[in-house]
Amino acid sequence: MSATTTTPRISVVVAAFNRPTVLTRCVAALATQTLDPAAFEVIVVDDCSPMPLEAAARAGAGALALTVIRREANGGQSAARNTGIRDGRAQLLAFLDDDIVAAPGYLAAHLTAHERHADERLAFIGNLGFPADARRTSNYVRYLHSRYVGTRVAAGHLALDLEHLPSQYFGAGISSVRAEDLHAVGLFDEGVRYYGAEDHILGHRLQDAGVRLAFVGDALAEHHDTVTVPRYRSKMMEFAREGLRALESHFPGFISRTAFRYLVPVMPGDGPALALRKRVVQAALHPAVVGLIERWAQATDGAPALYVPAVYRALNAGWALAGLRDAAGGERLVQYGD
């Protein structure tokens, strides 16, 4: 850890696993923040990567106040983030995933937003998007980019009160919240080890505890994820298989309040309209049909003229249906690494 005599205003927690090049880029972006380096510390938590990540983190750190913690066993993102939270010295915690590159004003925007509302309990969600060159060369990236809060609202595709976001829009990889509020709700659920849901669960807990969720558009960052149809099939299936079950367990009735309700079996209490909709949707998402849509999506990914958002909506629904039909606690599907 770099020596410092002042208490930082923000502790930035980066949970990392097995992606040294990606991590170096993430930390290097934090080293170019407009915020005074004395105002924040960076805590990188290596979740027991096969090869230690300290050198990769320090390669991008420059003069940052940097701590690198290596966990002795892989525990998943929730456990890694909690490790960083417990080590943080600031009253405010900000999170970044290791594949997110923060714009120079990212941390200053989060800090300013909290200072503006110093008398309120708030968690802020940053403005994430994919790089422009990735959107130009991949239709699937273009679709994923369109699903982020800032781009959906800007395009008029989503009517949201950005000062009072629903809890499902809490994105743990691009957020900030007061340490006391995190500790009050029990931090991230370390029982969630597979892809997805840990941020949704924390968002619900924070909101139930009276923490308002809001969007801060000036906190810009780019998502440098590896996007392929097979990889995102694994992500969606694992989220449905593990994450949705976890959400339903924590918050009974969660699935019935979302579009996922059409993907679960017909239940005795379903009305005729809901039962019919379930049967129609699930029949339309037959594995053979979804397989054909996958082939189309892969074949046309580099052809912007053939971009059809409905193709990717259908894919996500079909993959979610397959995930829900899988047994919980199966083999890990999402693989990380360069």
Side-chain angles (χ1 to χ4, degrees):
M1 180 176 175
S2 300
T4 181
T5 58
T6 60
T7 301
R9 297 161 75 188
I10 306 178
S11 296
V12 185
V13 176
V14 180
F17 178 74
N18 206 32
R19 298 194 281 192
T21 303
V22 172
L23 176 61
T24 298
R25 181 171 52 194
C26 173
V27 175
L30 291 171
T32 63
Q33 292 293 296
T34 58
L35 193 63
D36 182 349
F40 67 99
E41 65 177 350
V42 177
I43 303 165
V44 171
V45 182
D46 176 0
D47 194 19
C48 198
S49 299
M51 292 293 290
L53 295 176
E54 180 163 4
R58 296 201 180 281
L64 286 179
L66 174 68
T67 300
V68 180
I69 302 171
R70 179 170 169 83
R71 288 176 52 84
E72 294 181 357
N74 180 271
Q77 278 197 319
S78 291
R81 287 173 179 153
N82 286 349
T83 298
I85 291 168
R86 295 185 183 105
D87 194 74
R89 296 182 296 125
Q91 294 182 350
L92 180 64
L93 284 151
F95 299 96
L96 281 176
D97 285 346
D98 62 356
D99 60 359
I100 292 176
V101 176
Y106 177 82
L107 289 179
H110 273 283
L111 182 60
T112 299
H114 280 279
E115 289 179 340
R116 242 184 234 141
H117 300 275
D119 58 344
E120 296 182 70
R121 299 173 64 202
L122 279 134
F124 283 102
I125 315 304
N127 192 355
L128 187 63
F130 280 91
D133 58 345
R135 302 197 306 268
R136 283 192 296 268
T137 56
S138 169
N139 286 339
Y140 197 17
V141 170
R142 182 177 172 185
Y143 173 75
L144 293 171
H145 178 80
S146 74
R147 307 300 292 171
Y148 287 122
V149 174
T151 51
R152 293 177 78 181
V153 171
H157 295 157
L158 192 65
L160 276 179
D161 180 352
L162 297 180
E163 295 295 319
H164 299 81
L165 286 173
S167 59
Q168 63 264 33
Y169 289 99
F170 180 79
I174 189 170
S175 57
S176 64
V177 62
R178 288 176 183 155
E180 63 180 341
D181 287 326
L182 276 175
H183 286 283
V185 300
L187 309 186
F188 288 92
D189 181 354
E190 297 189 15
V192 179
R193 293 197 55 189
Y194 291 82
Y195 175 78
E198 74 283 343
D199 46 0
H200 297 68
I201 291 170
L202 184 59
H204 276 279
R205 286 177 171 173
L206 287 168
Q207 198 163 69
D208 287 349
V211 178
R212 178 161 63 87
L213 308 183
F215 178 69
V216 54
D218 292 338
L220 295 167
E222 288 187 340
H223 196 180
H224 288 258
D225 195 12
T226 301
V227 177
T228 66
V229 168
R231 185 163 185 266
Y232 270 74
R233 181 204 309 125
S234 296
K235 281 191 167 192
M236 197 65 197
M237 286 183 63
E238 194 164 278
F239 170 74
R241 187 190 71 188
E242 307 290 339
L244 283 179
R245 286 187 171 97
L247 280 161
E248 187 68 23
S249 173
H250 281 80
F251 310 102
F254 171 85
I255 290 178
S256 67
R257 298 190 294 272
T258 71
F260 291 111
R261 65 185 178 277
Y262 302 120
L263 305 181
V264 298
V266 174
M267 307 296 287
D270 292 344
L274 178 57
L276 177 61
R277 183 73 178 267
K278 284 183 175 182
R279 292 190 176 99
V280 170
V281 168
Q282 293 178 37
L285 296 174
H286 187 278
V289 175
V290 175
L292 289 173
I293 298 173
E294 275 190 41
R295 291 183 187 179
W296 166 262
Q298 288 182 285
T300 62
D301 193 51
L306 299 177
Y307 173 62
V308 181
V311 166
Y312 303 101
R313 287 196 293 271
L315 273 185
N316 284 341
W319 295 335
L321 178 60
L324 282 169
R325 288 174 173 172
D326 272 358
E331 179 184 354
R332 184 162 223 159
L333 300 176
V334 181
Q335 301 297 322
Y336 297 95
D338 288 338

